[in-house]
Amino acid sequence: MSWPSLATPGSTLSPMDELSQLAAPADPIPQSLLSAFPEQAKTLGLLYDVSRELTSILDREELLRRIAERVKKIVNYDVFTVMLWNEKSQLLGGVFAMHYENSIPSRFRVNLNQGITGHAAASRKAIRLDDVRVDPRYITCNTCEVVSSELVIPLLLQDRLVGVLDLESKRYAAFTPQHERMLMALGSFIAIALENSRLYEDARENQVRLQTDLDTAREIQLQLLPRGAREVPGLDITAAYVPARELGGDFYDFLQYGEGRLAIALGDVSGKGTAAALYGSLAIGMLRELTVEHTLAPADMLAMLNRRLHAARLEARFIALTFAVYEASERSLTIANAGGTHPLLLREGQLTEIAVDGIPLGLFPEAEYTLSTLRLQVGDVVIFASDGILESENSKREEFGIERLSALITSLPANSCVENISGAILRATDEFSGVGIPPHDDRTLLVLRAIEDTAAGYSKLPVIY
């Protein structure tokens, strides 16, 4: 059978050679060619349709099955095998086989220059045998199907070996030069499709592995954060934490600070995601270490932690941290702040900001911090909120802001427990953002309420859980 020339004047390439050099499915077959050369055009049209379909399939199992079905329309085979080249093992490995239209597992491996498939892969050239018994390269298999003729097509992506197609038949001389040309042309598209499938599978496996790692890291991060503190005389306290991503840059802690004393920390690491979460975990570890060795005033504790974090020399990272110490015997709360949002005091229905400021931790080797001390009255509520609360955004890019937060808090019943207060704030920010709006930042709340209590428990250490 002769092929009509589709080449430009002066070109020596056959239509099949030109088709095989394309990196994407070719344009549809021109109507003029369909009329002048119907049989040839039909074949080219089939190749075009097959190549377009195959390059759109990403699932490898589906792709291999579809390749076998489509090749069957072009070449009548009895046994069809796909072998892929493994760069690490330097072996061709069978990944799919179709024996008499039944798909079966294929798990054998061969070296380059081993058997017909190995020689075709090594030479990067097709091998067509009318009678496999007369070729010394053919390897007989006692458990395999009876084979008389064979056609092996290397699958190449530019000059890189992807694998081979191996077609076998019970009939002698079952494969023709035309079959060889057609499959060589189709081979480049099959190679592209297999490579796309491999990249897709790699990406999917990496995504699953990354998600599993993130889920585990999230559980570990949550385990680092205490749920609450009890047996703190004169104080009821709760915490709420909602990260914007799998891992959050916010953190908090409750720390034993001596008998009848509780230290409270709320931190916000610059940035988000894994790096921010790890830096926050580092800060928690340092803070816990320092509070075991020292029971300093909050300003001095911040200065010491700042020196430790700066010495770690983590470029472009800093931490906003509010640190406070509750003294049960005096019913006092002493607060120092390193760049965090101002704590809020709700007293007799009025909400005020506790204006205490300072430089975030880790930016400079030395920093000084100021203190603000409150004498709590029964019924007072103190709220420590990360900036993710105030900066929650809606679809119009408006922030929740201090005015909305103040209106919400002052509208709550006077006897609201700390859990109800924190829950109301989180619900309000969720409703403000609306459905489908991704969280702008981590949201963390620590809510304290001064309650009636006797002096009997002042000598006890708080219980952190």
Side-chain angles (χ1 to χ4, degrees):
M1 175 178 179
S2 61
W3 289 87
S5 177
L6 301 181
T8 55
S11 172
T12 59
L13 297 177
S14 70
M16 305 311 299
D17 291 332
E18 289 187 337
L19 184 60
S20 66
Q21 290 184 359
L22 297 178
D27 293 332
I29 305 304
Q31 288 296 324
S32 58
L33 181 62
L34 287 172
S35 301
F37 303 95
E39 289 301 322
Q40 295 89 333
K42 180 180 178 181
T43 302
L44 289 176
L46 178 60
L47 290 176
Y48 166 75
D49 291 337
V50 171
S51 63
R52 182 177 58 181
E53 178 184 14
L54 294 182
T55 51
S56 67
I57 302 173
L58 293 177
D59 180 76
R60 195 176 81 169
E61 290 302 317
E62 172 65 14
L63 173 63
L64 293 171
R65 185 183 64 80
R66 199 70 63 85
I67 290 172
E69 292 174 352
R70 295 303 178 260
V71 169
K72 186 76 170 179
K73 291 185 176 181
I74 301 172
V75 183
N76 185 26
Y77 59 77
D78 292 318
V79 180
F80 174 90
T81 306
V82 178
M83 304 181 71
L84 298 182
W85 174 246
N86 188 311
E87 195 68 40
K88 291 183 179 179
S89 66
Q90 293 289 293
L91 292 172
L92 278 171
V95 294
F96 180 86
M98 184 77 75
H99 286 207
Y100 301 98
E101 300 184 355
N102 293 317
S103 177
I104 65 171
S106 177
R107 293 291 181 266
F108 56 90
R109 297 179 179 181
V110 299
N111 294 300
L112 291 182
N113 292 310
Q114 180 183 7
I116 305 302
T117 53
H119 278 85
S123 66
R124 287 165 169 72
K125 294 181 180 179
I127 298 178
R128 180 170 50 86
L129 301 178
D130 292 337
D131 186 351
V132 296
R133 295 175 300 178
V134 299
D135 196 302
R137 296 171 297 181
Y138 182 75
I139 300 175
T140 58
C141 175
N142 295 330
T143 60
C144 298
E145 303 291 345
V146 176
V147 173
S148 298
S149 57
E150 185 170 9
L151 174 60
V152 181
I153 304 295
L155 302 176
L156 305 175
L157 195 59
Q158 295 181 343
D159 292 330
R160 182 163 65 85
L161 178 66
V162 174
V164 296
L165 296 183
D166 184 14
L167 282 66
E168 297 171 311
S169 176
K170 295 183 297 180
R171 296 175 292 110
Y172 294 109
F175 307 112
T176 67
Q178 179 184 341
H179 293 152
E180 182 180 334
R181 288 195 298 269
M182 287 190 295
L183 291 181
M184 283 296 294
L186 188 60
S188 61
F189 297 110
I190 294 177
I192 292 171
L194 287 169
E195 181 67 5
N196 288 342
S197 174
R198 183 188 68 80
L199 294 174
Y200 172 74
E201 289 294 332
D202 288 349
R204 187 167 62 178
E205 290 176 4
N206 288 337
Q207 180 64 30
V208 171
R209 183 166 55 251
L210 177 61
Q211 189 60 54
T212 300
D213 290 345
L214 286 175
D215 291 342
T216 302
R218 179 187 176 93
E219 290 299 318
I220 294 173
Q221 185 182 39
L222 292 175
Q223 290 293 330
L224 288 173
L225 304 176
R227 290 176 293 168
R230 62 174 183 266
E231 297 186 19
V232 185
L235 195 68
D236 194 10
I237 186 169
T238 192
Y241 174 65
V242 183
R245 301 179 183 177
E246 288 85 351
L247 297 175
D250 282 5
F251 65 91
Y252 67 89
D253 211 352
F254 303 134
L255 303 152
Q256 292 179 340
Y257 222 59
E259 295 177 349
R261 304 176 77 208
L262 178 71
I264 302 160
L266 173 60
D268 183 0
V269 180
S270 61
K272 300 178 181 66
T274 305
L278 289 173
Y279 197 27
S281 299
L282 174 65
I284 289 177
M286 288 183 177
L287 186 60
R288 290 177 179 177
E289 176 190 346
L290 292 175
T291 55
V292 168
E293 299 174 352
H294 309 278
T295 53
L296 302 173
D300 296 329
M301 181 58 71
L302 286 183
M304 183 177 292
L305 182 58
N306 174 68
R307 289 192 290 271
R308 289 284 299 273
L309 289 171
H310 185 268
R313 299 187 180 280
L314 295 177
E315 298 293 335
R317 291 288 174 184
F318 59 87
I319 297 177
L321 180 68
T322 306
F323 187 78
V325 174
Y326 171 73
E327 180 72 59
S329 61
E330 300 177 1
R331 202 187 288 274
S332 66
L333 185 67
T334 303
I335 305 170
N337 192 4
T341 57
H342 290 161
L344 303 173
L345 171 64
L346 178 64
R347 175 175 288 174
E348 298 179 350
Q350 298 295 317
L351 190 72
T352 58
E353 292 188 44
I354 304 171
V356 57
D357 297 289
I359 298 172
L361 305 177
L363 290 176
F364 306 102
E366 296 294 334
E368 295 183 357
Y369 299 92
T370 58
L371 294 173
S372 178
T373 300
L374 298 175
R375 297 289 179 177
L376 297 178
Q377 302 173 14
V378 173
D380 283 354
V381 175
V382 180
I383 300 172
F384 297 88
S386 67
D387 59 4
I389 297 292
L390 298 177
E391 295 175 1
S392 293
E393 293 184 350
N394 61 14
S395 59
K396 299 178 181 179
R397 304 299 298 273
E398 298 171 333
E399 292 187 348
F400 188 72
I402 187 63
E403 292 183 1
R404 289 185 178 87
L405 181 60
S406 177
L408 169 67
I409 294 173
T410 54
S411 69
L412 296 174
N415 61 348
S416 295
C417 67
V418 290
E419 289 81 9
N420 287 346
I421 294 172
S422 65
I425 294 173
L426 292 178
R427 284 193 301 274
T429 53
D430 282 336
E431 293 170 0
F432 177 76
S433 296
V435 177
I437 304 298
H440 175 70
D441 199 358
D442 305 323
R443 291 175 294 162
T444 308
L445 288 165
L446 303 180
V447 183
L448 291 63
R449 175 184 281 280
I451 59 175
E452 291 282 3
D453 201 75
T454 63
Y458 292 169
S459 61
K460 295 181 180 180
L461 286 172
V463 176
I464 313 300
Y465 62 93

